[in-house]
Coordinates of all heavy atoms in Angstrom, one line a residue:
M513 N -8.0 12.6 5.1 CA -8.1 11.2 4.9 C -9.0 10.6 6.1 O -8.6 10.7 7.2 CB -6.7 10.5 4.9 CG -6.7 9.1 4.4 SD -7.2 8.9 2.6 CE -6.0 9.8 1.8
A514 N -10.1 10.0 5.7 CA -11.0 9.5 6.7 C -10.5 8.2 7.3 O -10.6 8.0 8.5 CB -12.4 9.3 6.1
E515 N -9.9 7.4 6.5 CA -9.4 6.1 7.0 C -8.1 6.2 7.7 O -7.2 6.9 7.3 CB -9.3 5.1 5.8 CG -10.6 4.6 5.4 CD -10.5 3.6 4.2 OE1 -10.3 4.0 3.1 OE2 -10.4 2.4 4.5
K516 N -7.9 5.5 8.8 CA -6.7 5.4 9.5 C -5.8 4.3 8.9 O -6.1 3.1 9.2 CB -6.9 5.2 11.0 CG -7.7 6.3 11.6 CD -6.8 7.4 12.1 CE -7.6 8.4 12.9 NZ -6.9 9.7 13.0
L517 N -4.9 4.6 8.0 CA -4.1 3.6 7.4 C -2.6 4.0 7.5 O -2.3 5.2 7.6 CB -4.5 3.5 5.9 CG -5.9 3.1 5.6 CD1 -6.3 3.3 4.2 CD2 -6.1 1.6 6.0
K518 N -1.8 3.0 7.4 CA -0.4 3.2 7.3 C 0.1 2.5 6.0 O -0.5 1.5 5.6 CB 0.3 2.8 8.5 CG 0.1 1.3 8.8 CD 0.8 0.9 10.2 CE 0.5 -0.5 10.5 NZ 1.1 -0.9 11.8
A519 N 1.2 2.9 5.5 CA 1.8 2.3 4.3 C 3.0 1.5 4.6 O 3.9 1.8 5.3 CB 2.1 3.4 3.3
C520 N 3.0 0.3 4.0 CA 4.2 -0.6 4.0 C 5.4 0.1 3.3 O 5.2 0.5 2.2 CB 3.8 -1.9 3.4 SG 5.3 -3.0 3.3
R521 N 6.5 0.2 4.0 CA 7.7 0.8 3.3 C 8.2 -0.1 2.2 O 8.9 0.4 1.3 CB 8.8 1.0 4.4 CG 8.5 2.2 5.3 CD 9.8 2.7 5.9 NE 9.7 4.0 6.5 CZ 9.5 4.2 7.8 NH1 9.4 3.2 8.6 NH2 9.3 5.4 8.2
N522 N 8.0 -1.3 2.3 CA 8.5 -2.2 1.3 C 7.7 -2.3 0.0 O 8.2 -2.1 -1.1 CB 8.6 -3.6 1.9 CG 9.3 -4.6 0.9 OD1 10.3 -4.3 0.3 ND2 8.7 -5.8 0.8
C523 N 6.4 -2.5 0.1 CA 5.5 -2.6 -1.1 C 4.5 -1.5 -1.2 O 3.7 -1.5 -2.2 CB 4.9 -4.0 -1.1 SG 3.6 -4.2 0.1
R524 N 4.4 -0.6 -0.3 CA 3.5 0.5 -0.3 C 2.0 0.1 -0.1 O 1.1 0.9 -0.4 CB 3.6 1.3 -1.6 CG 4.8 2.2 -1.6 CD 4.9 3.1 -2.8 NE 5.3 2.3 -4.0 CZ 5.5 2.8 -5.2 NH1 5.4 4.1 -5.4 NH2 5.9 2.1 -6.2
A525 N 1.7 -1.1 0.3 CA 0.4 -1.5 0.6 C -0.1 -0.7 1.8 O 0.6 -0.4 2.7 CB 0.3 -3.0 0.9
L526 N -1.4 -0.3 1.7 CA -2.0 0.4 2.8 C -2.8 -0.5 3.7 O -3.6 -1.3 3.3 CB -3.0 1.5 2.3 CG -2.3 2.7 1.6 CD1 -3.3 3.6 0.9 CD2 -1.4 3.5 2.6
V527 N -2.5 -0.5 5.0 CA -3.1 -1.5 5.9 C -3.6 -0.7 7.2 O -3.1 0.4 7.4 CB -2.1 -2.6 6.4 CG1 -1.6 -3.4 5.2 CG2 -0.9 -2.0 7.1
P528 N -4.5 -1.2 7.9 CA -5.0 -0.5 9.1 C -3.9 -0.4 10.1 O -2.9 -1.2 10.2 CB -6.1 -1.5 9.7 CG -6.5 -2.3 8.5 CD -5.3 -2.5 7.6
L529 N -4.0 0.7 10.9 CA -2.9 1.0 11.9 C -2.6 -0.1 12.9 O -1.5 -0.3 13.3 CB -3.3 2.3 12.7 CG -3.3 3.6 11.9 CD1 -3.6 4.7 12.9 CD2 -1.9 3.9 11.3
E530 N -3.6 -0.9 13.2 CA -3.4 -2.0 14.2 C -2.7 -3.2 13.6 O -2.3 -4.1 14.3 CB -4.7 -2.4 14.8 CG -5.8 -2.9 13.9 CD -6.7 -1.9 13.3 OE1 -6.3 -0.7 13.3 OE2 -7.8 -2.2 12.8
E531 N -2.6 -3.2 12.3 CA -2.0 -4.4 11.6 C -0.5 -4.4 11.9 O 0.2 -3.4 11.9 CB -2.2 -4.3 10.1 CG -2.1 -5.6 9.4 CD -3.3 -6.4 9.4 OE1 -4.4 -5.9 9.1 OE2 -3.2 -7.6 9.9
E532 N 0.1 -5.6 12.3 CA 1.5 -5.6 12.6 C 2.3 -6.1 11.5 O 3.5 -5.8 11.4 CB 1.7 -6.5 13.9 CG 1.2 -5.8 15.1 CD 1.4 -6.7 16.4 OE1 2.0 -7.8 16.2 OE2 0.9 -6.3 17.4
K533 N 1.7 -6.8 10.6 CA 2.5 -7.4 9.5 C 1.8 -7.0 8.2 O 0.5 -7.1 8.1 CB 2.5 -8.9 9.7 CG 3.8 -9.5 9.1 CD 3.8 -11.0 9.5 CE 4.8 -11.8 8.7 NZ 4.7 -13.2 9.0
C534 N 2.5 -6.7 7.1 CA 1.9 -6.4 5.8 C 1.4 -7.7 5.2 O 2.1 -8.7 5.1 CB 3.0 -5.8 4.9 SG 2.4 -5.6 3.2
P535 N 0.1 -7.7 4.9 CA -0.6 -8.9 4.3 C -0.1 -9.2 2.9 O -0.2 -10.3 2.4 CB -2.1 -8.6 4.3 CG -2.1 -7.1 4.3 CD -0.9 -6.6 5.0
V536 N 0.6 -8.2 2.3 CA 1.0 -8.4 0.9 C 2.4 -9.0 0.9 O 2.7 -10.0 0.2 CB 1.0 -7.1 0.1 CG1 1.6 -7.3 -1.3 CG2 -0.5 -6.6 0.0
C537 N 3.4 -8.4 1.6 CA 4.8 -8.8 1.5 C 5.3 -9.4 2.8 O 6.4 -9.9 2.8 CB 5.6 -7.7 1.0 SG 5.9 -6.4 2.2
G538 N 4.6 -9.3 3.9 CA 5.0 -9.8 5.1 C 6.0 -8.8 5.9 O 6.5 -9.2 6.9
G539 N 6.1 -7.6 5.3 CA 7.0 -6.6 5.9 C 6.5 -6.1 7.2 O 5.3 -6.2 7.5
T540 N 7.3 -5.6 8.1 CA 6.9 -5.0 9.3 C 7.3 -3.6 9.5 O 7.2 -3.0 10.6 CB 7.5 -5.9 10.5 OG1 8.9 -5.9 10.3 CG2 6.9 -7.3 10.5
S541 N 7.7 -2.9 8.5 CA 8.1 -1.5 8.6 C 7.1 -0.7 7.8 O 6.8 -0.9 6.6 CB 9.5 -1.3 7.9 OG 9.9 0.0 8.0
F542 N 6.4 0.2 8.6 CA 5.4 1.0 8.1 C 5.6 2.5 8.3 O 6.4 2.9 9.2 CB 4.0 0.7 8.7 CG 3.6 -0.7 8.5 CD1 3.9 -1.7 9.4 CD2 2.9 -1.1 7.3 CE1 3.6 -3.1 9.2 CE2 2.5 -2.4 7.1 CZ 2.9 -3.4 8.0
T543 N 4.9 3.3 7.5 CA 5.0 4.8 7.8 C 3.6 5.3 7.7 O 2.8 4.9 6.9 CB 5.9 5.5 6.8 OG1 5.8 6.9 7.0 CG2 5.5 5.3 5.3
K544 N 3.3 6.3 8.6 CA 2.0 7.0 8.5 C 2.0 8.1 7.5 O 1.0 8.8 7.2 CB 1.6 7.5 9.9 CG 1.3 6.4 10.9 CD 1.0 7.1 12.2 CE 0.9 6.0 13.3 NZ 0.9 6.6 14.7
F545 N 3.2 8.4 7.0 CA 3.3 9.6 6.1 C 3.3 9.1 4.7 O 4.4 8.8 4.1 CB 4.6 10.4 6.5 CG 4.6 10.9 7.9 CD1 5.3 10.2 8.9 CD2 3.9 12.0 8.2 CE1 5.3 10.6 10.2 CE2 3.8 12.4 9.6 CZ 4.5 11.7 10.5
W546 N 2.2 9.1 4.1 CA 2.0 8.7 2.7 C 1.0 9.6 2.1 O 0.2 10.3 2.7 CB 1.6 7.2 2.7 CG 0.3 7.0 3.4 CD1 0.2 6.6 4.7 CD2 -1.0 7.0 2.9 NE1 -1.1 6.5 5.1 CE2 -1.9 6.7 4.0 CE3 -1.6 7.3 1.6 CZ2 -3.3 6.7 3.8 CZ3 -3.0 7.2 1.5 CH2 -3.8 6.9 2.6
R547 N 1.0 9.6 0.7 CA 0.1 10.5 0.0 C -0.4 9.7 -1.2 O 0.3 8.9 -1.9 CB 0.9 11.7 -0.5 CG 0.9 12.8 0.5 CD 1.5 14.1 -0.2 NE 2.8 13.8 -0.6 CZ 3.3 14.3 -1.8 NH1 2.6 15.1 -2.5 NH2 4.6 14.1 -2.1
G548 N -1.7 10.0 -1.5 CA -2.3 9.4 -2.7 C -2.6 7.9 -2.5 O -1.8 7.2 -2.0
M549 N -3.8 7.5 -2.9 CA -4.2 6.1 -2.8 C -4.6 5.6 -4.2 O -5.3 6.2 -4.9 CB -5.4 6.0 -1.9 CG -5.8 4.5 -1.6 SD -7.4 4.4 -0.8 CE -7.0 5.0 0.8
V550 N -4.1 4.4 -4.5 CA -4.6 3.7 -5.7 C -5.2 2.4 -5.2 O -4.6 1.7 -4.4 CB -3.5 3.5 -6.7 CG1 -2.3 2.8 -6.2 CG2 -4.0 2.8 -8.0
I551 N -6.4 2.1 -5.7 CA -7.0 0.8 -5.4 C -6.9 -0.1 -6.6 O -7.4 0.2 -7.7 CB -8.5 1.1 -5.0 CG1 -8.6 2.0 -3.7 CG2 -9.2 -0.3 -4.8 CD1 -10.0 2.4 -3.4
V552 N -6.3 -1.2 -6.4 CA -6.1 -2.2 -7.4 C -7.1 -3.4 -7.2 O -7.0 -4.0 -6.2 CB -4.7 -2.7 -7.5 CG1 -4.5 -3.8 -8.5 CG2 -3.7 -1.6 -7.8
V553 N -7.9 -3.6 -8.2 CA -8.9 -4.6 -8.1 C -8.4 -5.9 -8.8 O -8.5 -7.0 -8.2 CB -10.3 -4.2 -8.7 CG1 -11.3 -5.4 -8.6 CG2 -10.8 -3.0 -8.0
D554 N -7.9 -5.7 -10.0 CA -7.4 -6.8 -10.7 C -6.0 -6.4 -11.3 O -5.9 -5.8 -12.4 CB -8.3 -7.1 -11.9 CG -7.9 -8.4 -12.6 OD1 -6.8 -8.9 -12.4 OD2 -8.7 -8.9 -13.4
P555 N -4.9 -6.8 -10.6 CA -3.6 -6.4 -11.0 C -3.2 -6.8 -12.4 O -2.5 -6.1 -13.1 CB -2.7 -7.1 -10.0 CG -3.5 -7.4 -8.8 CD -4.9 -7.6 -9.4
S556 N -3.7 -7.9 -12.9 CA -3.4 -8.4 -14.3 C -4.0 -7.5 -15.3 O -3.5 -7.5 -16.5 CB -3.8 -9.8 -14.4 OG -5.2 -10.0 -14.4
E557 N -5.1 -6.8 -15.0 CA -5.7 -5.9 -15.9 C -5.5 -4.5 -15.7 O -6.0 -3.6 -16.4 CB -7.3 -6.1 -15.8 CG -7.8 -7.5 -16.2 CD -7.6 -7.7 -17.7 OE1 -7.9 -6.8 -18.5 OE2 -7.2 -8.8 -18.1
S558 N -4.6 -4.1 -14.8 CA -4.4 -2.7 -14.4 C -3.0 -2.2 -14.9 O -2.0 -2.8 -14.5 CB -4.5 -2.6 -12.9 OG -4.0 -1.3 -12.5
E559 N -3.0 -1.2 -15.7 CA -1.8 -0.6 -16.2 C -1.0 0.0 -15.0 O 0.2 -0.1 -14.9 CB -2.1 0.5 -17.2 CG -1.0 1.1 -17.9 CD -0.3 0.2 -18.9 OE1 -0.7 -0.9 -19.1 OE2 0.8 0.7 -19.4
V560 N -1.8 0.7 -14.1 CA -1.2 1.3 -12.9 C -0.5 0.2 -12.1 O 0.7 0.4 -11.6 CB -2.3 2.0 -12.1 CG1 -1.6 2.6 -10.8 CG2 -2.9 3.1 -12.9
A561 N -1.1 -0.9 -11.9 CA -0.5 -2.0 -11.1 C 0.8 -2.5 -11.7 O 1.8 -2.7 -11.1 CB -1.5 -3.1 -10.9
R562 N 0.8 -2.5 -13.1 CA 1.9 -3.0 -13.8 C 3.1 -2.0 -13.6 O 4.2 -2.4 -13.3 CB 1.6 -3.2 -15.3 CG 2.6 -4.0 -16.0 CD 2.3 -4.1 -17.5 NE 2.2 -2.8 -18.2 CZ 3.3 -2.1 -18.6 NH1 4.5 -2.5 -18.4 NH2 3.1 -0.9 -19.1
I563 N 2.8 -0.7 -13.7 CA 3.8 0.3 -13.6 C 4.4 0.3 -12.2 O 5.6 0.4 -12.0 CB 3.3 1.7 -14.0 CG1 3.0 1.7 -15.5 CG2 4.2 2.8 -13.6 CD1 2.2 2.9 -16.0
M564 N 3.5 0.1 -11.2 CA 3.9 0.2 -9.8 C 4.5 -1.1 -9.3 O 4.9 -1.2 -8.2 CB 2.8 0.7 -8.9 CG 2.4 2.1 -9.2 SD 1.0 2.7 -8.2 CE 1.7 2.7 -6.5
G565 N 4.4 -2.2 -10.1 CA 4.9 -3.5 -9.7 C 4.0 -4.1 -8.6 O 4.4 -4.9 -7.8
I566 N 2.7 -3.9 -8.7 CA 1.7 -4.4 -7.8 C 1.2 -5.8 -8.3 O 0.8 -5.8 -9.4 CB 0.6 -3.5 -7.5 CG1 1.1 -2.2 -6.8 CG2 -0.6 -4.1 -6.7 CD1 0.1 -1.0 -6.8
K567 N 1.3 -6.8 -7.5 CA 0.8 -8.1 -7.9 C -0.4 -8.6 -7.2 O -1.1 -9.6 -7.7 CB 1.9 -9.1 -7.6 CG 3.2 -8.9 -8.4 CD 4.3 -9.9 -8.1 CE 5.6 -9.7 -8.8 NZ 6.3 -8.5 -8.3
Y568 N -0.8 -7.9 -6.1 CA -2.0 -8.4 -5.4 C -3.0 -7.3 -5.3 O -2.6 -6.1 -5.2 CB -1.6 -8.8 -4.0 CG -0.6 -10.0 -4.0 CD1 0.8 -9.7 -3.9 CD2 -1.0 -11.3 -4.2 CE1 1.7 -10.7 -4.0 CE2 -0.1 -12.3 -4.3 CZ 1.3 -12.0 -4.1 OH 2.2 -13.0 -4.2
P569 N -4.3 -7.6 -5.3 CA -5.4 -6.6 -5.2 C -5.3 -5.9 -3.8 O -4.8 -6.5 -2.8 CB -6.7 -7.4 -5.3 CG -6.3 -8.7 -5.9 CD -4.9 -8.9 -5.5
G570 N -5.6 -4.6 -3.8 CA -5.6 -3.9 -2.5 C -5.5 -2.5 -2.7 O -5.5 -1.9 -3.8
K571 N -5.2 -1.8 -1.6 CA -5.0 -0.3 -1.6 C -3.5 -0.1 -1.4 O -2.9 -0.7 -0.6 CB -5.7 0.3 -0.4 CG -7.2 0.3 -0.5 CD -7.8 0.9 0.8 CE -9.3 0.6 0.9 NZ -9.7 0.8 2.3
Y572 N -3.0 0.9 -2.2 CA -1.6 1.2 -2.2 C -1.4 2.7 -2.2 O -2.2 3.5 -2.8 CB -0.9 0.6 -3.4 CG -0.9 -0.9 -3.4 CD1 -2.0 -1.6 -3.9 CD2 0.2 -1.6 -2.9 CE1 -2.0 -3.0 -3.9 CE2 0.2 -3.0 -2.9 CZ -0.9 -3.7 -3.4 OH -0.9 -5.0 -3.4
A573 N -0.3 3.1 -1.5 CA 0.0 4.5 -1.5 C 0.8 4.9 -2.7 O 1.6 4.0 -3.2 CB 0.9 4.9 -0.2
I574 N 0.6 6.0 -3.3 CA 1.3 6.4 -4.5 C 2.7 6.9 -4.0 O 3.7 6.7 -4.7 CB 0.5 7.5 -5.2 CG1 -0.7 6.9 -5.9 CG2 1.4 8.2 -6.3 CD1 -1.7 7.9 -6.4
A575 N 2.8 7.7 -3.0 CA 4.1 8.1 -2.5 C 4.2 8.0 -1.0 O 3.2 8.2 -0.2 CB 4.2 9.6 -2.8
I576 N 5.3 7.5 -0.5 CA 5.5 7.5 0.9 C 6.8 8.3 1.3 O 7.7 8.4 0.6 CB 5.7 6.0 1.4 CG1 6.9 5.3 0.8 CG2 4.4 5.2 1.2 CD1 7.2 4.0 1.4
A577 N 6.7 8.8 2.6 CA 7.9 9.5 3.1 C 8.8 8.5 3.8 O 8.4 7.4 4.0 CB 7.4 10.6 4.1
R578 N 9.9 9.0 4.1 CA 10.9 8.1 4.8 C 10.5 7.9 6.2 O 10.0 8.8 6.9 CB 12.3 8.8 4.8 CG 12.9 8.8 3.4 CD 13.5 7.4 3.1 NE 13.2 7.1 1.7 CZ 13.2 5.9 1.2 NH1 13.3 4.9 1.9 NH2 12.9 5.7 -0.1
Ligands
LIG1113 ZN1 4.3 -4.8 2.1

């Protein structure tokens, strides 16, 4: 993975390591141990976003570790 990202434990949004707060849900708990990335451009048109419960455009981890 070329990008240095961490995943929000609450909503699985991927944010830069230096970010202190999740821009999607406002959560402050992150993990560096995540796998798979899905990029959502238009949540209302995306089946993946609907299944994953994603409401905002962005990058999300498919799976996160504890
Ligand atoms: Zn979040």
Side-chain angles (χ1 to χ4, degrees):
M513 194 63 65
E515 280 181 280
K516 298 272 188 200
L517 296 167
K518 59 186 178 180
C520 174
R521 282 202 166 97
N522 184 43
C523 71
R524 285 185 284 186
L526 292 170
V527 300
L529 290 180
E530 62 269 22
E531 202 80 55
E532 285 178 7
K533 209 172 167 188
C534 174
V536 175
C537 73
T540 53
S541 181
F542 298 93
T543 177
K544 288 178 193 167
F545 302 100
W546 56 272
R547 275 188 300 144
M549 183 194 291
V550 57
I551 297 173
V552 175
V553 178
D554 186 348
S556 64
E557 294 290 318
S558 168
E559 185 75 4
V560 176
R562 194 180 61 76
I563 290 166
M564 291 177 68
I566 294 166
K567 296 181 181 70
Y568 302 95
K571 295 176 192 163
Y572 294 85
I574 290 168
I576 60 170
R578 291 284 140 200

